[in-house]
Protein backbone atom coordinates (compact mmCIF):
# COMPACT_ATOMS: atom_id res chain seq x y z
CA UNK A 1 0.00 0.00 0.00
CA UNK A 2 1.40 3.37 -0.95
CA UNK A 3 1.73 6.17 1.54
CA UNK A 4 2.31 9.84 1.01
CA UNK A 5 4.88 11.74 2.99
CA UNK A 6 3.86 15.38 3.15
CA UNK A 7 6.88 17.65 3.24
CA UNK A 8 10.30 17.22 1.84
CA UNK A 9 12.63 20.14 1.54
CA UNK A 10 14.23 21.30 4.73
CA UNK A 11 14.78 25.03 4.72
CA UNK A 12 17.22 26.52 7.17
CA UNK A 13 15.52 28.97 9.51
CA UNK A 14 16.73 31.03 12.45
CA UNK A 15 17.15 28.70 15.37
CA UNK A 16 15.86 25.62 13.61
CA UNK A 17 14.41 24.05 10.50
CA UNK A 18 11.41 24.97 8.41
CA UNK A 19 9.50 22.49 6.27
CA UNK A 20 8.23 23.21 2.80
CA UNK A 21 5.37 20.87 1.91
CA UNK A 22 5.66 18.57 -1.02
CA UNK A 23 4.22 15.14 -1.60
CA UNK A 24 6.71 12.30 -1.96
CA UNK A 25 5.30 8.93 -2.92
CA UNK A 26 6.95 6.21 -0.82
CA UNK A 27 6.25 2.54 -0.30
CA UNK A 28 5.22 1.59 3.23
CA UNK A 29 5.76 4.67 5.38
CA UNK A 30 6.20 2.43 8.43
CA UNK A 31 9.49 1.25 6.93
CA UNK A 32 10.91 4.78 6.70
CA UNK A 33 12.85 6.67 9.34
CA UNK A 34 13.49 10.37 8.72
CA UNK A 35 16.93 11.64 9.67
CA UNK A 36 17.56 15.36 10.20
CA UNK A 37 19.76 17.42 7.94
CA UNK A 38 20.16 21.00 6.77
CA UNK A 39 18.95 19.84 3.41
CA UNK A 40 17.59 21.08 0.14
CA UNK A 41 17.63 17.64 -1.40
CA UNK A 42 15.84 14.52 -0.33
CA UNK A 43 17.29 11.06 -0.51
CA UNK A 44 15.13 8.11 0.38
CA UNK A 45 15.59 4.42 0.66
CA UNK A 46 12.06 3.02 0.91
CA UNK A 47 12.76 -0.68 0.93
CA UNK A 48 16.34 -1.78 0.50
CA UNK A 49 19.29 -0.80 2.66
CA UNK A 50 21.62 -0.83 -0.30
CA UNK A 51 20.36 2.15 -2.28
CA UNK A 52 19.47 5.77 -1.88
CA UNK A 53 16.87 7.08 -4.28
CA UNK A 54 17.09 10.77 -5.05
CA UNK A 55 13.54 12.05 -5.03
CA UNK A 56 13.86 15.79 -5.46
CA UNK A 57 15.98 18.78 -4.67
CA UNK A 58 18.83 21.04 -5.51
CA UNK A 59 22.54 21.12 -4.82
CA UNK A 60 23.46 21.11 -1.13
CA UNK A 61 23.24 18.73 1.79
CA UNK A 62 20.69 15.95 1.80
CA UNK A 63 17.96 14.54 3.91
CA UNK A 64 18.35 10.81 4.30
CA UNK A 65 15.34 8.65 4.96
CA UNK A 66 16.65 5.39 6.36
CA UNK A 67 14.46 2.34 7.03
CA UNK A 68 14.41 0.46 10.31
CA UNK A 69 17.39 2.22 11.78
CA UNK A 70 17.56 4.73 14.58
CA UNK A 71 20.96 6.32 14.03
CA UNK A 72 21.03 9.78 12.47
CA UNK A 73 23.53 10.86 9.86
CA UNK A 74 24.16 14.22 8.24
CA UNK A 75 24.59 13.82 4.51
CA UNK A 76 26.54 16.34 2.47
CA UNK A 77 26.45 16.29 -1.32
CA UNK A 78 26.50 18.38 -4.42
CA UNK A 79 25.66 17.49 -8.00
CA UNK A 80 29.34 17.01 -8.80
CA UNK A 81 30.41 15.28 -5.61
CA UNK A 82 29.14 12.03 -4.08
CA UNK A 83 27.43 11.92 -0.72
CA UNK A 84 29.73 12.18 2.30
CA UNK A 85 28.46 11.12 5.70
CA UNK A 86 29.19 12.56 9.08
CA UNK A 87 27.76 11.04 12.27
CA UNK A 88 25.09 13.19 13.87
CA UNK A 89 24.68 10.86 16.82
CA UNK A 90 26.01 7.51 17.96
CA UNK A 91 23.95 4.41 18.76
CA UNK A 92 22.43 4.86 22.20
CA UNK A 93 21.14 1.40 22.93
CA UNK A 94 22.19 -2.22 22.77
CA UNK A 95 19.73 -2.73 19.93
CA UNK A 96 21.39 0.03 17.89
CA UNK A 97 24.83 -1.45 18.55
CA UNK A 98 23.61 -4.91 17.55
CA UNK A 99 22.10 -3.52 14.36
CA UNK A 100 25.36 -1.79 13.47
CA UNK A 101 27.37 -4.97 14.00
CA UNK A 102 24.79 -6.92 12.00
CA UNK A 103 25.37 -4.63 9.01
CA UNK A 104 29.13 -4.65 9.55
CA UNK A 105 29.19 -8.46 9.40
CA UNK A 106 27.44 -8.49 5.96
CA UNK A 107 24.76 -11.05 6.95
CA UNK A 108 24.25 -12.49 3.46
CA UNK A 109 27.87 -13.69 3.53
CA UNK A 110 27.40 -15.07 7.04
CA UNK A 111 24.38 -17.12 5.95
CA UNK A 112 26.28 -18.34 2.89
CA UNK A 113 29.23 -19.44 5.02
CA UNK A 114 27.07 -21.34 7.50
CA UNK A 115 25.00 -23.12 4.85
CA UNK A 116 28.03 -24.04 2.76
CA UNK A 117 29.89 -25.60 5.68
CA UNK A 118 26.80 -27.52 6.82
CA UNK A 119 26.12 -28.81 3.32
CA UNK A 120 29.70 -29.81 2.54
CA UNK A 121 30.07 -31.48 5.94
CA UNK A 122 27.12 -33.75 5.23
CA UNK A 123 28.73 -34.81 1.94
CA UNK A 124 31.22 -36.72 4.10
CA UNK A 125 28.44 -38.71 5.80
CA UNK A 126 28.46 -42.29 4.54
CA UNK A 127 26.12 -44.03 6.95
CA UNK A 128 23.44 -43.16 9.47
CA UNK A 129 25.77 -43.80 12.41
CA UNK A 130 27.98 -40.94 11.14
CA UNK A 131 25.27 -38.50 12.24
CA UNK A 132 26.38 -38.18 15.83
CA UNK A 133 27.44 -35.60 18.44
CA UNK A 134 30.99 -35.99 17.11
CA UNK A 135 29.86 -34.79 13.67
CA UNK A 136 27.98 -31.80 15.04
CA UNK A 137 30.93 -30.84 17.27
CA UNK A 138 33.20 -30.86 14.22
CA UNK A 139 30.71 -28.77 12.25
CA UNK A 140 30.38 -26.27 15.10
CA UNK A 141 34.17 -25.88 15.32
CA UNK A 142 34.36 -25.19 11.60
CA UNK A 143 31.39 -22.82 11.51
CA UNK A 144 32.53 -20.66 14.44
CA UNK A 145 36.11 -20.37 13.18
CA UNK A 146 34.96 -19.63 9.63
CA UNK A 147 32.44 -17.00 10.74
CA UNK A 148 35.09 -15.14 12.70
CA UNK A 149 37.37 -15.18 9.65
CA UNK A 150 34.42 -14.06 7.49
CA UNK A 151 33.92 -11.02 9.74
CA UNK A 152 37.63 -10.22 9.47
CA UNK A 153 37.48 -10.33 5.65
CA UNK A 154 34.32 -8.25 5.19
CA UNK A 155 35.44 -5.85 7.92
CA UNK A 156 38.83 -5.30 6.33
CA UNK A 157 37.11 -4.65 3.01
CA UNK A 158 34.98 -1.95 4.64
CA UNK A 159 38.04 -0.39 6.31
CA UNK A 160 39.74 -0.20 2.93
CA UNK A 161 36.65 1.12 1.13
CA UNK A 162 35.24 3.78 3.47
CA UNK A 163 35.18 6.51 0.83
CA UNK A 164 33.79 4.19 -1.86
CA UNK A 165 31.10 2.92 0.50
CA UNK A 166 29.96 6.49 1.18
CA UNK A 167 28.76 6.36 -2.41
CA UNK A 168 27.87 2.70 -2.94
CA UNK A 169 26.84 1.50 0.52
CA UNK A 170 26.31 4.47 2.84
CA UNK A 171 24.35 2.36 5.32
CA UNK A 172 27.47 0.44 6.42
CA UNK A 173 28.71 1.48 9.89
CA UNK A 174 32.13 2.77 8.82
CA UNK A 175 30.77 4.72 5.87
CA UNK A 176 27.96 6.22 7.94
CA UNK A 177 30.22 7.14 10.86
CA UNK A 178 28.62 4.83 13.42
CA UNK A 179 31.97 3.06 13.70
CA UNK A 180 35.27 4.89 13.80
CA UNK A 181 38.23 3.47 11.92
CA UNK A 182 39.77 2.54 15.29
CA UNK A 183 36.67 0.54 16.18
CA UNK A 184 36.74 -1.21 12.82
CA UNK A 185 40.41 -2.14 13.24
CA UNK A 186 39.76 -3.48 16.74
CA UNK A 187 36.91 -5.67 15.48
CA UNK A 188 38.74 -7.17 12.51
CA UNK A 189 41.96 -7.74 14.51
CA UNK A 190 40.06 -9.43 17.35
CA UNK A 191 38.07 -11.71 15.09
CA UNK A 192 41.09 -12.76 13.02
CA UNK A 193 43.05 -13.65 16.17
CA UNK A 194 40.12 -15.60 17.64
CA UNK A 195 39.62 -17.45 14.36
CA UNK A 196 43.24 -18.61 14.19
CA UNK A 197 43.24 -19.44 17.90
CA UNK A 198 40.19 -21.68 17.53
CA UNK A 199 41.58 -23.30 14.39
CA UNK A 200 44.84 -24.03 16.23
CA UNK A 201 43.32 -25.56 19.37
CA UNK A 202 40.93 -27.73 17.33
CA UNK A 203 43.98 -29.35 15.75
CA UNK A 204 42.46 -29.90 12.30
CA UNK A 205 44.97 -29.15 9.55
CA UNK A 206 42.29 -28.75 6.82
CA UNK A 207 40.45 -26.22 8.98
CA UNK A 208 43.61 -24.26 9.80
CA UNK A 209 44.64 -24.35 6.14
CA UNK A 210 41.23 -22.99 5.10
CA UNK A 211 41.48 -20.14 7.61
CA UNK A 212 45.05 -19.29 6.58
CA UNK A 213 44.39 -19.19 2.84
CA UNK A 214 41.14 -17.23 3.36
CA UNK A 215 43.04 -14.74 5.52
CA UNK A 216 45.76 -14.24 2.91
CA UNK A 217 43.39 -13.89 -0.04
CA UNK A 218 40.96 -11.68 1.88
CA UNK A 219 43.81 -9.39 2.93
CA UNK A 220 45.35 -9.23 -0.55
CA UNK A 221 41.91 -8.52 -2.03
CA UNK A 222 41.21 -5.45 0.10
CA UNK A 223 44.24 -3.90 1.74
CA UNK A 224 45.75 -0.88 -0.01
CA UNK A 225 49.44 -1.79 -0.11
CA UNK A 226 51.90 -2.09 -3.00
CA UNK A 227 51.17 -5.15 -5.19
CA UNK A 228 47.98 -5.81 -3.21
CA UNK A 229 44.39 -4.50 -3.26
CA UNK A 230 43.60 -7.09 -5.92
CA UNK A 231 39.99 -5.96 -6.12
CA UNK A 232 41.23 -3.21 -8.48
CA UNK A 233 41.75 -5.89 -11.13
CA UNK A 234 38.54 -7.55 -12.20
CA UNK A 235 39.95 -10.96 -13.15
CA UNK A 236 42.17 -11.28 -10.08
CA UNK A 237 39.29 -10.19 -7.82
CA UNK A 238 37.02 -12.85 -9.32
CA UNK A 239 39.71 -15.50 -8.83
CA UNK A 240 40.04 -14.57 -5.14
CA UNK A 241 36.33 -15.04 -4.56
CA UNK A 242 36.30 -18.26 -6.59
CA UNK A 243 39.24 -19.66 -4.61
CA UNK A 244 37.55 -19.06 -1.27
CA UNK A 245 33.88 -19.75 -2.04
CA UNK A 246 34.36 -22.59 -4.54
CA UNK A 247 37.59 -24.39 -3.72
CA UNK A 248 38.50 -23.78 -0.08
CA UNK A 249 34.99 -24.08 1.33
CA UNK A 250 34.21 -27.31 -0.52
CA UNK A 251 37.52 -29.16 -0.19
CA UNK A 252 38.92 -27.93 3.13
CA UNK A 253 35.74 -28.24 5.16
CA UNK A 254 34.91 -31.62 3.60
CA UNK A 255 38.40 -32.85 4.57
CA UNK A 256 37.95 -31.38 8.05
CA UNK A 257 35.00 -33.73 8.59
CA UNK A 258 36.44 -36.63 6.57
CA UNK A 259 39.90 -36.75 8.14
CA UNK A 260 39.73 -34.89 11.46
CA UNK A 261 36.24 -35.86 12.65
CA UNK A 262 35.76 -39.30 11.08
CA UNK A 263 39.44 -40.22 10.90
CA UNK A 264 39.12 -41.51 7.33
CA UNK A 265 41.65 -41.23 4.50
CA UNK A 266 41.50 -38.36 2.02
CA UNK A 267 38.92 -39.15 -0.64
CA UNK A 268 37.44 -36.90 -3.32
CA UNK A 269 33.93 -38.18 -3.89
CA UNK A 270 31.63 -37.60 -6.86
CA UNK A 271 29.39 -35.16 -4.93
CA UNK A 272 32.44 -33.22 -3.72
CA UNK A 273 33.85 -32.87 -7.23
CA UNK A 274 30.46 -31.72 -8.53
CA UNK A 275 30.02 -29.26 -5.64
CA UNK A 276 33.45 -27.72 -6.31
CA UNK A 277 32.82 -27.40 -10.04
CA UNK A 278 29.29 -26.02 -9.63
CA UNK A 279 30.26 -23.52 -6.96
CA UNK A 280 33.11 -22.33 -9.18
CA UNK A 281 30.45 -21.11 -11.61
CA UNK A 282 28.41 -19.63 -8.79
CA UNK A 283 31.40 -17.87 -7.24
CA UNK A 284 32.30 -16.24 -10.56
CA UNK A 285 28.71 -15.05 -10.88
CA UNK A 286 28.75 -13.55 -7.37
CA UNK A 287 32.12 -11.91 -8.06
CA UNK A 288 30.78 -10.32 -11.25
CA UNK A 289 27.29 -9.47 -10.02
CA UNK A 290 28.35 -7.77 -6.79
CA UNK A 291 29.95 -4.95 -8.79
CA UNK A 292 26.93 -4.20 -11.00
CA UNK A 293 25.10 -1.98 -8.47
CA UNK A 294 28.41 -0.41 -7.32
CA UNK A 295 29.41 1.00 -10.69
CA UNK A 296 29.04 4.66 -9.66
CA UNK A 297 31.50 4.54 -6.77
CA UNK A 298 33.86 2.18 -8.58
CA UNK A 299 34.16 4.63 -11.49
CA UNK A 300 34.92 7.52 -9.16
CA UNK A 301 37.63 5.67 -7.25
CA UNK A 302 39.25 3.86 -10.17
CA UNK A 303 38.08 0.30 -9.51
CA UNK A 304 38.18 -1.33 -12.96
CA UNK A 305 35.48 -3.94 -12.42
CA UNK A 306 33.93 -5.79 -15.35
CA UNK A 307 30.78 -3.70 -14.87
CA UNK A 308 32.84 -0.53 -15.33
CA UNK A 309 34.75 -1.78 -18.39
CA UNK A 310 32.03 -3.81 -20.15
CA UNK A 311 28.81 -2.21 -18.92
CA UNK A 312 26.14 -3.35 -16.49
CA UNK A 313 23.86 -5.03 -19.03
CA UNK A 314 26.56 -7.26 -20.54
CA UNK A 315 27.78 -8.38 -17.12
CA UNK A 316 24.22 -8.97 -15.91
CA UNK A 317 23.29 -11.30 -18.77
CA UNK A 318 26.68 -13.01 -18.63
CA UNK A 319 25.96 -13.88 -14.99
CA UNK A 320 22.51 -15.19 -15.85
CA UNK A 321 23.90 -17.28 -18.72
CA UNK A 322 26.65 -18.78 -16.55
CA UNK A 323 24.15 -19.84 -13.93
CA UNK A 324 21.81 -21.33 -16.51
CA UNK A 325 24.71 -23.38 -17.91
CA UNK A 326 25.59 -24.54 -14.40
CA UNK A 327 21.99 -25.58 -13.77
CA UNK A 328 21.93 -27.50 -17.06
CA UNK A 329 25.03 -29.45 -16.00
CA UNK A 330 23.53 -30.06 -12.56
CA UNK A 331 20.38 -31.49 -14.15
CA UNK A 332 22.45 -33.86 -16.28
CA UNK A 333 24.58 -34.97 -13.32
CA UNK A 334 21.48 -35.49 -11.20
CA UNK A 335 19.87 -37.56 -13.95
CA UNK A 336 22.82 -39.99 -13.89
CA UNK A 337 22.50 -40.73 -10.17
CA UNK A 338 21.92 -44.44 -9.40
CA UNK A 339 19.40 -43.51 -6.70
CA UNK A 340 15.86 -42.60 -7.77
CA UNK A 341 15.29 -40.23 -4.85
CA UNK A 342 18.55 -38.40 -5.60
CA UNK A 343 17.70 -38.21 -9.29
CA UNK A 344 14.24 -36.74 -8.68
CA UNK A 345 15.33 -34.17 -6.08
CA UNK A 346 18.38 -33.02 -8.08
CA UNK A 347 16.63 -32.75 -11.44
CA UNK A 348 13.38 -31.18 -10.24
CA UNK A 349 15.17 -28.86 -7.81
CA UNK A 350 17.53 -27.46 -10.43
CA UNK A 351 14.78 -27.09 -13.02
CA UNK A 352 12.83 -24.99 -10.52
CA UNK A 353 15.90 -22.85 -9.70
CA UNK A 354 16.77 -22.30 -13.37
CA UNK A 355 13.20 -21.33 -14.25
CA UNK A 356 12.94 -18.99 -11.27
CA UNK A 357 16.21 -17.29 -12.18
CA UNK A 358 15.19 -16.74 -15.81
CA UNK A 359 11.80 -15.34 -14.82
CA UNK A 360 13.35 -12.96 -12.30
CA UNK A 361 16.12 -11.84 -14.67
CA UNK A 362 13.67 -10.84 -17.39
CA UNK A 363 11.77 -8.61 -14.98
CA UNK A 364 14.78 -6.60 -13.75
CA UNK A 365 15.02 -2.95 -14.75
CA UNK A 366 18.73 -2.51 -15.36
CA UNK A 367 18.44 1.27 -15.03
CA UNK A 368 17.32 0.90 -11.40
CA UNK A 369 20.04 0.40 -8.81
CA UNK A 370 17.41 -0.77 -6.33
CA UNK A 371 16.23 -3.54 -8.64
CA UNK A 372 19.77 -4.63 -9.51
CA UNK A 373 20.68 -4.80 -5.82
CA UNK A 374 17.51 -6.77 -5.10
CA UNK A 375 18.43 -9.19 -7.88
CA UNK A 376 21.94 -9.54 -6.42
CA UNK A 377 20.44 -10.59 -3.10
CA UNK A 378 18.22 -13.00 -5.02
CA UNK A 379 21.38 -14.56 -6.49
CA UNK A 380 22.56 -15.16 -2.94
CA UNK A 381 19.26 -16.90 -2.18
CA UNK A 382 19.87 -19.20 -5.14
CA UNK A 383 23.33 -19.79 -3.67
CA UNK A 384 21.73 -20.83 -0.38
CA UNK A 385 19.24 -23.07 -2.18
CA UNK A 386 22.05 -24.89 -4.00
CA UNK A 387 23.67 -25.82 -0.73
CA UNK A 388 20.36 -27.25 0.43
CA UNK A 389 20.27 -29.46 -2.69
CA UNK A 390 23.91 -30.62 -2.66
CA UNK A 391 23.59 -33.24 0.13
CA UNK A 392 20.93 -35.03 -1.94
CA UNK A 393 23.33 -35.60 -4.84
CA UNK A 394 24.67 -39.14 -4.65
Amino acid sequence: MESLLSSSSLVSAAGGFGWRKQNLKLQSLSEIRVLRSDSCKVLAKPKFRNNLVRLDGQESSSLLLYPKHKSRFRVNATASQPEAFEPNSKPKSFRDSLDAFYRFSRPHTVIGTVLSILSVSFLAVEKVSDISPLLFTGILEAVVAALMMNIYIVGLNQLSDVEIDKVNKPYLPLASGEYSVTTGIAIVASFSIMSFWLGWIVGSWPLFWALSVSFMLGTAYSINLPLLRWKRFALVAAMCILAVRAVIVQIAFFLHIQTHVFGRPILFTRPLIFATAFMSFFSVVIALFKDIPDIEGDKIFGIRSFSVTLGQEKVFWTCVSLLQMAYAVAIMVGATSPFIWSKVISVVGHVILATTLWTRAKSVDLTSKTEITSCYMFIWKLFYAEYLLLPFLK
Side-chain angles (χ1 to χ4, degrees), residues 43 49-54 75-77 80-85 161-172 175-176 293-301 369:
L43 297 181
R49 290 183 184 272
N50 304 60
N51 295 300
L52 297 176
V53 181
R54 185 172 287 106
V75 186
N76 301 305
S80 60
Q81 183 177 357
E83 292 81 5
F85 284 67
D161 285 357
V162 174
E163 296 304 316
I164 298 176
D165 287 341
K166 287 176 181 178
V167 179
N168 291 337
K169 302 179 182 76
Y171 55 90
L172 293 177
S176 67
D294 293 344
I295 191 170
E296 181 183 352
D298 288 349
K299 282 182 178 179
I300 293 171
F301 292 96
K369 184 176 178 179

Side-chain angles (χ1 to χ4, degrees), residues 88-156:
N88 199 32
S89 66
K90 296 182 182 296
K92 296 179 181 179
S93 70
F94 175 75
R95 182 178 177 182
D96 290 334
S97 300
L98 191 63
D99 180 66
F101 183 74
Y102 174 82
R103 283 176 281 119
F104 183 79
S105 68
R106 308 298 279 138
H108 62 283
T109 66
V110 169
I111 296 171
T113 298
V114 172
L115 284 179
S116 60
I117 294 174
L118 284 172
S119 178
V120 170
S121 296
F122 276 95
L123 291 181
V125 172
E126 296 178 358
K127 50 187 182 293
V128 176
S129 60
D130 287 341
I131 303 176
S132 63
L134 183 64
L135 170 65
F136 289 108
T137 300
I139 293 175
L140 183 62
E141 292 169 344
V143 166
V144 174
L147 284 183
M148 289 190 289
M149 185 56 67
N150 188 87
I151 291 172
Y152 162 78
I153 292 172
V154 298
L156 180 64

Side-chain angles (χ1 to χ4, degrees), residues 315-341:
V315 174
F316 178 87
W317 287 110
T318 297
C319 290
V320 173
S321 300
L322 286 173
L323 276 187
Q324 293 291 14
M325 290 187 335
Y327 285 137
V329 172
I331 291 168
M332 289 188 289
V333 171
T336 62
S337 173
F339 303 98
I340 297 298
W341 58 269

Side-chain angles (χ1 to χ4, degrees), residues 224-370:
N224 195 10
L225 291 175
L227 303 180
L228 299 179
R229 194 160 174 77
W230 293 350
K231 68 179 295 178
R232 293 176 298 169
F233 313 106
L235 184 59
V236 179
M239 291 302 102
C240 285
I241 295 174
L242 183 149
V244 174
R245 288 285 174 189
V247 180
I248 294 174
V249 168
Q250 314 325 306
I251 296 177
F253 290 108
F254 174 86
L255 292 179
H256 166 68
I257 301 298
Q258 177 81 356
T259 62
H260 176 74
V261 176
F262 292 149
R264 295 170 182 158
I266 295 175
L267 178 66
F268 294 95
T269 63
R270 177 176 178 265
L272 176 63
I273 294 170
F274 169 78
T276 304
F278 187 94
M279 286 305 169
S280 295
F281 273 87
F282 229 122
S283 298
V284 170
V285 169
I286 288 176
L288 296 177
F289 211 112
K290 74 178 184 62
D291 294 324
I292 299 177
D294 293 344
I295 191 170
E296 181 183 352
D298 288 349
K299 282 182 178 179
I300 293 171
F301 292 96
I303 303 298
R304 302 295 295 170
S305 67
F306 282 113
S307 294
V308 171
T309 57
L310 301 178
Q312 290 174 299
E313 185 173 359
K314 285 184 179 179
V315 174
F316 178 87
W317 287 110
T318 297
C319 290
V320 173
S321 300
L322 286 173
L323 276 187
Q324 293 291 14
M325 290 187 335
Y327 285 137
V329 172
I331 291 168
M332 289 188 289
V333 171
T336 62
S337 173
F339 303 98
I340 297 298
W341 58 269
S342 175
K343 186 178 298 188
V344 171
I345 293 175
S346 297
V347 171
V348 173
H350 286 104
V351 167
I352 292 173
L353 293 180
T355 304
T356 304
L357 170 62
W358 184 251
T359 303
R360 179 63 182 272
K362 290 194 299 181
S363 68
V364 175
D365 178 6
L366 294 177
T367 64
S368 169
K369 184 176 178 179
T370 299

